[in-house]
């Protein structure tokens, strides 16, 4: 009993230690930190950030302000697969061609603490262990792997990021991929700069504001003087922040990370007046339109004009088909290399390689459309995996691709040269950005919501009969349009051949496909159609037949099993699933039991559906299944309803018809 009480006391002590105030003493992990085996708030965590402190301070050289980011972090490795968090990567700006584009990583040092034979063993490393590599023309990456790390190790590291980019404060993330027990951010800004400082995300941060003074020692030749100014101090603290884990129903988890952002609105000039410096998206548009690898290329002729003329595409009268025909010529000539890009490389270079980025191919597509008499415009965006565009912090660096827009009366047609499994107005789900910018030279740019462009529509008709041997047979016709067609083409291309594709469909749908005719699976077309003869076996006893009538169903399992969910649910696209089944029952048998009819709708009407059985004619059974999802995002307050709806539909996918012998 005493041992049991001691065990309870130890467990309670461990929980308290993890939720109490953090250990601020650098170089001295506590016994609780060294002996911790799990994090009470997330027992599955492979590592936890015990302490994270970032302070941002301004200094001054002879002419300009400078910014120093001081970072300290302590991490506990809890499991073997948590050793990856001993690999530190620090991005920083280094572009010698820019006056204000130079940063450096300084004073890096790290220590790994392990308990060996009851004693604490330390392994220290410094700046000499850092390796650097270039990411792009603006950014470098400092990388270091802390050695002698295993489950149980405590890691501490610190560094300074010294920057002359004084007019921009980088975002500070309180949350990470692993839980964070304590995080604090201290930002001190001279009052000559007016910043909008905001916190955002799903977790609350404690925030406070105060004022202070900053003294500068300025040397001018033989002279030295001291100057001072008032400062604004922002302090933000987070405790017990959950891990921002990967989620199949969130495109980019960082869209919801708890963070602090600071946007420069204005600064005091030498005359004492404040100047506005806030960049707008209109300014970003202008920069793009004047760029030699973007706006100045939009009116170029394409390198494939002769092919377009030979194909007679200019004579096609239907706008959508003319655009589609142009797309087909492009993809016959060039392949997508799998990379997204905003700016376009020289056309001759892309043609020589035979492939290019999304920016290369879409620029080529705009030029080709112009050659056949179609005016087209770029729609710049950040892909859904790349993250949402910020409304309040416009930046060219936030954009990573563009698609093509074609005016069509009072509406627009959209094309993307990388979406070869799609069609006009049928894009890769990764491109259905909620906010993208359609840029037209000489006209105001406009925000467009690409989530309204298309949906996945599946229309299924099954006509057949059930034999007295308990076998359902008949014809199954399916028409896929929009992103349903996109999904089918993608599945077809991923299969080794049509035989493998049919075999997988047969297994997934629980039926035998006797014969199959398919159209639209290989080309860039408006829809995909399948016509099949199928059979499906039920279970039979001496006087009963049990059979599931479904060859397709919109929801076969419920992925939303958690009772609570912090992140929203983001679907790939809108969808409509409409299936009708007509079955003739065997002579001498009757329907003894049929499942109940249901109609369900979420309060916001974002998802609705019904399952209806009708057996007015005793020899014929009709079943209709309808499922509509008209919204692509479900937030926390609607999650419980969504979970229940998916649970109901997934359970109804197993409906059984019960036939009794008369």
């Amino acid at each position: 009993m005493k041992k049991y009480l001691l065990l309870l006391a130890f467990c309670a002590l461990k929980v308290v230690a993890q939720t109490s105030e953090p250990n601020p003493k650098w170089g001295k992990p506590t016994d609780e930190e060294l002996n911790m085996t799990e994090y009470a708030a997330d027992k599955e965590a492979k590592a936890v950030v015990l302490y994270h402190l970032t302070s941002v301070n301004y200094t001054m050289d002879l002419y300009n302000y400078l910014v120093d980011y001081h970072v300290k972090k302590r991490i506990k490795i809890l499991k073997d697969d948590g050793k990856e968090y001993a690999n530190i990567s620090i991005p920083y700006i280094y572009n010698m061609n820019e006056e204000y584009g130079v940063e450096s990583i300084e004073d890096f040092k790290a220590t790994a603490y392990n308990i060996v034979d009851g004693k604490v063993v330390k392994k220290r490393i410094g700046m000499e262990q850092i390796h650097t590599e270039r990411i792009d023309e603006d950014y470098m990456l400092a990388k270091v792997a802390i050695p002698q790390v295993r489950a149980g190790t405590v890691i501490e590291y610190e560094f300074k990021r010294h920057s002359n980019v004084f007019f921009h404060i980088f975002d500070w993330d309180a949350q990470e991929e692993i839980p964070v027990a304590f995080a604090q951010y201290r930002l001190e800004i001279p009052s000559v700069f007016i910043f909008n400082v905001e916190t955002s995300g799903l977790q609350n941060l404690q925030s406070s504001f105060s004022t202070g003074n900053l003294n500068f020692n300025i040397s001018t030749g033989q002279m030295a003087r001291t100057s001072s100014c008032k400062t604004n101090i922002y302090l933000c603290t987070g405790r017990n922040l959950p891990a921002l884990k990967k989620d199949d129903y969130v495109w980019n988890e960082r869209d919801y990370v708890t963070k602090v952002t600071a946007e420069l609105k204005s600064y005091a000039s030498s005359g004492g007046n404040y100047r506005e410096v806030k960049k707008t998206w209109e300014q970003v548009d202008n920069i793009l339109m004047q760029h030699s690898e973007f706006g100045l290329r939009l009116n170029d002729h394409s390198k494939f004009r002769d092919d377009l003329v030979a194909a007679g595409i200019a004579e096609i009268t239907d706008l959508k088909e003319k655009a589609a025909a142009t797309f087909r010529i492009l993809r016959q000539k060039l392949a997508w290399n799998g990379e997204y890009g905003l700016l376009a490389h020289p056309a001759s270079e892309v043609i020589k390689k035979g492939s290019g980025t999304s920016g290369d191919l879409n620029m080529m597509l705009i030029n080709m459309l112009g050659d056949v008499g179609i005016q087209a415009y770029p729609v710049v965006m950040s892909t859904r995996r790349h993250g949402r565009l910020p409304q309040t912090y416009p930046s060219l660096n936030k954009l990573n691709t563009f698609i093509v827009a074609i005016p069509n009366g009072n509406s627009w047609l959209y094309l993307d040269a990388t979406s070869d499994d799609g069609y006009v107005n049928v894009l890769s789900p990764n491109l259905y950005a909620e906010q993208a910018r359609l840029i037209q030279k000489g006209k105001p740019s406009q925000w467009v919501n690409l989530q309204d462009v298309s949906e996945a529509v599946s229309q299924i008709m099954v006509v057949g009969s059930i034999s007295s041997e308990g076998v359902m047979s008949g014809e199954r016709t399916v028409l896929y349009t929009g992103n349903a067609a996109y999904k089918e083409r993608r599945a077809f291309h991923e299969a080794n051949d049509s035989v493998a594709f049919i075999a997988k469909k047969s297994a997934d749908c629980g039926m035998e496909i006797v014969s199959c005719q398919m159209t639209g699976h290989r080309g860039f077309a408006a829809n995909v159609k399948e016509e099949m003869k199928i059979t499906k076996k039920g279970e039979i006893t001496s006087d009963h037949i049990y059979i599931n009538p479904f060859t397709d169903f919109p929801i076969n399992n419920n992925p939303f099993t958690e009772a609570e969910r912090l992140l929203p649910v983001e679907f790939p696209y809108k969808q409509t699933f409409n299936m009708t089944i007509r079955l003739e029952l065997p002579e001498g048998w009757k329907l003894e039991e049929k499942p109940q009819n249901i109609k369900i709708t979420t309060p916001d009407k974002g998802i609705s559906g019904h399952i209806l059985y009708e057996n007015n004619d005793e020899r014929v059974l009709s079943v209709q299944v309808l499922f509509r999802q008209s919204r692509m995002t479900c937030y926390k307050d609607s999650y419980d309803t969504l979970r229940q709806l998916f649970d109901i539909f997934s359970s109804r996918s197993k409906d059984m018809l019960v036939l009794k012998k008369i």
Side-chain angles (χ1 to χ4, degrees):
M1 185 67 178
K2 287 182 179 179
K3 289 182 178 179
Y4 180 67
L5 291 173
L6 285 171
L7 180 61
L8 286 178
F10 174 76
C11 292
L13 176 63
K14 186 169 69 170
V15 171
V16 169
Q18 293 179 89
T19 57
S20 61
E21 285 301 304
N23 166 29
K25 295 181 180 179
W26 214 244
K28 294 184 178 181
T30 64
D31 290 341
E32 289 83 3
E33 291 171 332
L34 289 167
N35 291 296
M36 181 190 298
T37 58
E38 65 180 27
Y39 182 56
D42 184 354
K43 294 185 179 181
E44 299 300 317
K46 52 190 176 182
V48 56
V49 177
L50 299 172
Y51 186 86
H52 176 194
L53 175 65
T54 297
S55 60
V56 183
N57 306 99
Y58 275 75
T59 59
M60 196 173 188
D61 62 9
L62 182 59
Y63 301 107
N64 293 309
Y65 287 96
L66 304 169
V67 186
D68 287 330
Y69 300 80
H70 298 271
V71 178
K72 286 187 173 183
K73 189 175 285 190
R74 181 184 299 124
I75 300 174
K76 173 71 179 187
I77 307 300
L78 297 170
K79 299 180 180 180
D80 285 337
D81 58 351
K83 292 187 293 184
E84 62 181 292
Y85 295 99
N87 300 322
I88 313 302
S89 295
I90 310 166
Y92 63 99
I93 295 174
Y94 194 81
N95 187 342
M96 293 298 291
N97 296 321
E98 296 288 340
E99 182 179 3
Y100 299 108
V102 178
E103 297 182 328
S104 59
I105 304 301
E106 303 173 1
D107 304 330
F108 179 89
K109 51 188 174 183
T111 306
Y113 301 87
N114 288 294
I115 297 179
V116 180
D117 297 329
K119 296 182 179 180
V120 178
V121 177
K122 306 175 184 178
K123 175 62 177 179
R124 295 187 174 94
I125 62 171
M127 285 291 298
E128 70 281 356
Q129 297 295 322
I130 286 184
H131 302 278
T132 60
E133 62 183 52
R134 182 162 289 282
I135 301 174
D136 55 34
E137 64 178 346
D138 292 319
Y139 277 88
M140 298 285 290
L141 190 67
K143 300 172 67 176
V144 61
I146 301 175
Q148 297 183 12
V149 173
R150 58 181 183 266
T153 303
V154 172
I155 298 168
E156 287 186 341
Y157 67 90
E158 60 182 301
F159 63 90
K160 179 176 73 174
R161 179 177 179 172
H162 183 62
S163 175
N164 74 351
V165 189
F166 64 88
F167 46 83
H168 178 74
I169 302 295
F170 296 94
D171 294 353
W172 178 76
D173 292 348
Q175 273 184 290
E176 301 190 25
E177 292 180 354
I178 54 177
V180 178
F182 179 87
Q184 190 169 79
Y185 181 60
R186 185 182 185 277
L187 173 61
E188 185 171 9
I189 305 173
S191 58
V192 296
F193 299 105
I194 303 299
F195 276 84
N196 275 342
V197 180
E198 298 176 350
T199 62
S200 61
L202 300 178
Q203 303 297 313
N204 292 325
L205 297 178
Q206 295 175 315
S207 302
S208 64
F209 171 78
S210 60
T211 58
N213 287 285
L214 188 60
N215 296 320
F216 298 105
N217 294 317
I218 303 174
S219 298
T220 55
Q222 302 297 321
M223 302 286 292
R225 62 185 178 89
T226 301
S227 180
S228 65
C229 68
K230 297 288 185 182
T231 60
N232 296 317
I233 302 171
Y234 304 86
L235 188 67
C236 299
T237 305
R239 290 178 171 83
N240 301 318
L241 301 172
L244 199 68
K245 299 177 181 179
K246 297 293 183 183
D247 192 297
D248 291 339
Y249 283 88
V250 174
W251 285 88
N252 188 322
E253 294 82 5
R254 287 190 53 78
D255 286 338
Y256 306 100
V257 67
T258 298
K259 62 183 177 180
V260 180
T261 54
E263 176 195 17
L264 180 62
K265 285 187 63 181
S266 61
Y267 69 94
S269 63
S270 57
N273 297 319
Y274 279 87
R275 297 179 57 186
E276 293 289 329
V277 297
K278 180 179 177 180
K279 185 181 287 186
T280 65
W281 277 112
E282 286 72 21
Q283 289 174 304
V284 174
D285 299 339
N286 291 333
I287 292 171
L288 269 174
M289 293 304 286
Q290 295 169 20
H291 201 292
S292 60
E293 296 175 355
F294 192 85
L296 300 184
R297 292 268 306 274
L298 292 173
N299 293 321
D300 288 355
H301 287 292
S302 75
K303 303 292 184 180
F304 302 126
R305 278 183 291 174
D306 292 343
D307 298 276
L308 295 169
V309 172
I313 293 176
E315 283 72 46
I316 298 175
T317 56
D318 182 83
L319 179 62
K320 184 180 288 190
E321 182 50 41
K322 180 186 283 191
T326 305
F327 175 96
R328 294 185 190 103
I329 295 290
L330 171 64
R331 290 310 303 268
Q332 288 171 10
K333 301 292 183 180
L334 298 173
W336 181 38
N337 64 10
E339 296 178 6
Y340 287 104
L342 180 66
L343 304 179
H345 296 95
S348 56
E349 178 183 317
V350 175
I351 293 171
K352 183 177 180 180
K353 290 181 178 179
S355 65
T357 67
S358 62
D360 297 331
L361 268 58
N362 279 313
M363 182 61 70
M364 200 86 71
L365 180 58
I366 286 179
N367 297 155
M368 292 172 69
L369 289 168
D371 286 338
V372 298
I374 298 177
Q375 180 65 61
Y377 304 95
V379 181
V380 297
M381 70 173 74
S382 170
T383 60
R384 295 173 80 184
R385 289 195 180 93
H386 190 249
R388 285 188 175 90
L389 288 180
Q391 287 294 303
T392 54
Y393 305 96
S395 170
L396 195 64
N397 293 330
K398 300 294 184 181
L399 303 168
N400 73 325
T401 191
F402 69 94
I403 63 170
V404 179
I406 301 169
N408 182 31
N410 295 324
S411 63
W412 292 87
L413 302 178
Y414 296 97
L415 272 173
D416 171 58
T418 72
S419 301
D420 50 348
D421 288 319
Y423 191 60
V424 180
N425 283 351
V426 182
L427 313 175
S428 161
N430 192 27
L431 297 174
Y432 287 133
E434 198 171 10
Q435 293 177 321
R437 289 189 66 77
L438 195 161
I439 305 177
Q440 302 177 70
K441 187 175 182 180
K443 296 182 181 180
S445 298
Q446 56 183 293
W447 290 105
V448 294
N449 183 355
L450 294 174
Q451 295 186 352
D452 295 331
V453 170
S454 183
E455 67 174 321
V457 180
S458 302
Q459 295 176 290
I460 303 148
M461 172 66 77
V462 178
V463 178
S465 61
I466 300 175
S467 71
S468 57
E469 287 77 31
V471 177
M472 185 179 91
S473 59
E475 296 182 351
R476 170 187 177 272
T477 303
V478 188
L479 182 66
Y480 300 104
T481 56
N483 278 92
Y486 178 99
K487 183 179 178 181
E488 283 297 303
R489 288 194 192 99
R490 180 56 55 93
F492 183 80
H493 292 153
E494 289 175 353
N496 291 330
D497 50 37
S498 59
V499 174
F501 173 74
I502 293 171
K504 186 175 187 308
K505 185 177 285 287
S506 178
D508 291 344
C509 297
M511 61 184 178
E512 181 182 349
I513 299 174
V514 179
S515 63
C516 180
Q517 290 185 339
M518 303 186 298
T519 56
H521 287 72
R522 297 180 185 276
F524 188 71
N527 53 55
V528 167
K529 189 175 183 180
E530 296 174 350
E531 297 176 286
M532 299 178 176
K533 289 185 178 181
I534 60 147
T535 63
K536 184 174 184 178
K537 293 182 179 180
E539 297 180 15
I540 186 168
T541 65
S542 59
D543 57 353
H544 281 87
I545 294 173
Y546 305 88
I547 191 164
N548 177 291
F550 302 132
T551 61
D552 303 81
F553 208 75
I555 302 169
N556 291 303
N557 57 75
N558 184 8
F560 310 115
T561 57
E562 301 168 324
E564 294 184 356
R565 180 183 173 93
L566 295 176
L567 293 173
V569 175
E570 296 179 340
F571 294 104
Y573 32 68
K574 300 175 183 180
Q575 62 171 313
T576 296
F577 178 98
N578 192 348
M579 178 171 64
T580 300
I581 302 172
R582 288 180 58 83
L583 294 174
E584 184 178 343
L585 305 183
E587 188 173 351
W589 295 73
K590 70 175 183 177
L591 189 65
E592 180 182 63
E593 185 178 328
K594 67 178 180 181
Q596 291 184 340
N597 294 340
I598 61 166
K599 289 185 179 182
I600 48 178
T601 305
T602 56
D604 63 0
K605 296 183 171 47
I607 298 179
S608 62
H610 64 238
I611 304 173
L612 304 177
Y613 291 84
E614 186 177 310
N615 185 217
N616 295 332
D617 180 345
E618 289 190 359
R619 289 291 309 280
V620 178
L621 172 69
S622 297
V623 188
Q624 186 181 47
V625 180
L626 177 66
F627 178 83
R628 283 199 180 101
Q629 173 215 315
S630 59
R631 295 193 179 181
M632 294 173 67
T633 305
C634 172
Y635 294 99
K636 180 181 178 181
D637 56 353
S638 301
Y639 172 70
D640 191 53
T641 304
L642 175 75
R643 182 169 63 91
Q644 293 179 38
L645 186 148
F646 267 67
D647 199 47
I648 291 170
F649 254 86
S650 62
S651 65
R652 295 301 300 269
S653 70
K654 302 171 181 63
D655 279 359
M656 298 295 289
L657 304 177
V658 181
L659 279 63
K660 184 178 180 180
K661 193 171 186 179
I662 302 173

